[in-house]
Amino acid sequence: MLKIGLTGGIGSGKSEVSRRLAAHGAVVIDADKIAREVVEPGTAGLARVVTAFGEEVLRPDGALDREKLGSIVFADSQKLAVLNGIVHPLVGERVARLQADAPGDAVVVYDVPLLAENKLAPMYDVVIVVDAADEVRIQRLAEHRGMAEADAKARIAAQASREDRLAVADVVIVNEGSLEELDARVTEVWADLLQRAARG
């Protein structure tokens, strides 16, 4: 099994790369998706978030109001640490189960937004960083998520710098051009990963 850590700052296009790797045959474990699942209504995770942050982080239907919680934690590093202390261990347990279920010869891609921040690079055989200039990422966040420029900049500032991410990269996928260019680069990277997996 070849373990790949896939990361990239918000707006870099990491999810696009993740989807393309899955289409090539990778087993993708998406930490963001799991982080949402562990705080769904009825979970112990959501109960702990409400205990820590109060009922105001819930929507009327009882689901987590992610935007409201985001506005609280991204403005306060201590509150962000509290949230991470609740969510990360739950995500870790789920990831371990999914990894155990993957075939022994699989190329397993862990889609991990905070890989650099949490110093997780040593856990993977190969770290892939999806990179794009901050200006490109701010523009994408405005176009695709309707995010105000100030919010986009705050989210980017709350994450590792490009330099910190690139420092842990074994493979860099620059994503500043067309989807066709991205397809071509991901296909190249996939061929490289298969060779690495074959070498064992």
Side-chain angles (χ1 to χ4, degrees), residues 9-11 74 134-159:
I10 188 167
F74 286 113
D134 289 355
E135 311 79 74
V136 173
R137 294 162 59 201
I138 289 165
Q139 186 181 346
R140 282 184 189 147
L141 291 169
E143 285 173 13
H144 303 300
R145 301 195 201 178
M147 199 179 282
E149 187 174 332
D151 289 343
K153 286 181 174 173
R155 294 289 176 99
I156 288 172
Q159 296 183 337

Side-chain angles (χ1 to χ4, degrees), residues 19-136:
R19 276 196 287 278
R20 284 161 173 74
L21 289 171
H24 279 292
V27 174
V28 175
I29 297 178
D30 181 340
D32 257 1
K33 182 165 171 270
I34 295 168
R36 285 192 291 276
E37 290 169 358
V38 299
V39 291
E40 281 177 350
T43 60
L46 182 59
R48 285 161 61 188
V49 169
V50 171
T51 300
F53 296 99
E55 300 275 342
E56 69 267 18
V57 298
L58 292 178
R59 292 203 309 252
D61 64 0
L64 184 62
D65 185 334
R66 300 182 68 80
E67 287 70 31
K68 181 74 186 278
L69 182 60
S71 69
I72 294 169
V73 300
F74 286 113
D76 184 328
S77 60
Q78 287 179 318
K79 288 179 179 170
L80 182 59
V82 169
L83 179 64
N84 288 341
I86 295 168
V87 174
H88 288 172
L90 297 171
V91 171
E93 289 166 24
R94 179 83 58 93
V95 166
R97 282 202 302 275
L98 291 169
Q99 181 181 311
D101 293 344
D105 62 349
V107 174
V108 181
V109 174
Y110 298 85
D111 184 331
V112 187
L114 302 179
L115 186 148
E117 290 83 342
N118 294 326
K119 312 225 178 327
L120 301 177
M123 294 174 57
Y124 306 102
D125 301 313
V126 179
V127 172
I128 298 175
V129 172
V130 184
D131 184 54
D134 289 355
E135 311 79 74
V136 173

